Amino acid sequence: MAILPSIDNNTRKRELTDKQEAFLQHLVETQGDAREAAKLAGYSSHYHHVVKTLKSEILELTQEVLANSAPKAAFKLVEIMESKRPIIQANKKLAAAQTLLDRVGVGKIDRVDVNHNVNSGGIFLMPDKQPLDLEEGDYEEVSS
C-alpha cells in the first residue's frame, strides 16, 4: 500500500535487529497481519512474542498509518457531504472517517463555557469548619 509509512530508524528510541526491522516492514506490507509478517521476517516461533517485544514500535507505526490516512478520511467526509446522488453505506463511511479523524486529533472540539455572571448573586465561600473543644461547664443543656 503506497500510503503506508516507511520505517524510519532515526526516530526510534532503541536499536532493532534486522529481523525486527523486517517484521515491522512486513507488518506494513501485509496490512497488519502479524502472523504473516513474522513468517516473512523469518521467525519460527509464535508471533505473539515478537508483537510483545515490539509493542511500542507497533503502536508508533499504527499512529503513522492513521495519520497518513487522515486526509483521505477528511476528503471522504466532504465527498459524502457534497454528493447529490445516494452513496452506498454512507453512514458507515461517515462513521469510519469521523472515528479515524478523532483518533488522530482532528475530530470535533467540545467546548464548555465556564463564564459566570457575578451580578446574578455570586458565590460566597465559607471557611473550613473548625472542631469545637468544649469542656464541662462551657455549655448548658437545653431540654425541649
Side-chain angles (χ1 to χ4, degrees):
M1 234 171 140
I3 65 166
L4 294 177
S6 62
I7 298 170
D8 183 13
N9 292 332
N10 296 333
T11 60
R12 202 154 271 115
K13 293 177 180 81
R14 64 181 175 136
E15 284 294 318
L16 300 178
T17 66
D18 290 340
K19 215 177 207 186
Q20 289 172 325
E21 288 284 344
F23 171 79
L24 292 173
Q25 189 62 44
H26 289 299
L27 192 62
V28 171
E29 293 168 3
T30 61
Q31 296 184 11
D33 186 344
R35 179 183 306 231
E36 185 66 19
K39 187 171 113 179
L40 291 171
Y43 285 97
S44 58
S45 62
H46 289 295
Y47 67 96
H48 300 288
H49 177 69
V50 180
V51 171
K52 187 176 181 180
T53 304
L54 297 174
K55 182 179 178 180
S56 63
E57 287 80 8
I58 292 170
L59 290 174
E60 182 181 320
L61 185 64
T62 302
Q63 289 173 333
E64 290 177 24
V65 169
L66 289 175
N68 285 327
S69 299
K72 186 176 182 179
F75 283 111
K76 183 56 74 176
L77 286 174
V78 173
E79 175 190 336
I80 291 172
M81 181 183 71
E82 293 180 347
S83 178
K84 302 282 189 228
R85 59 179 174 74
I87 297 176
I88 298 171
Q89 296 183 338
N91 288 340
K92 290 181 182 179
K93 291 178 182 179
L94 278 172
Q98 289 170 334
T99 299
L100 190 143
L101 291 172
D102 286 343
R103 289 177 189 263
V104 296
V106 185
K108 73 175 187 172
I109 300 171
D110 292 328
R111 295 189 183 166
V112 178
D113 185 12
V114 292
N115 292 325
H116 179 72
N117 186 355
V118 179
N119 296 331
S120 65
I123 298 173
F124 183 74
L125 299 175
M126 298 291 293
D128 290 341
K129 293 182 179 179
Q130 300 293 325
L132 293 176
D133 292 329
L134 298 177
E135 294 181 15
E136 190 79 33
D138 288 346
Y139 62 92
E140 173 182 320
E141 285 195 38
V142 179
S143 61
S144 45

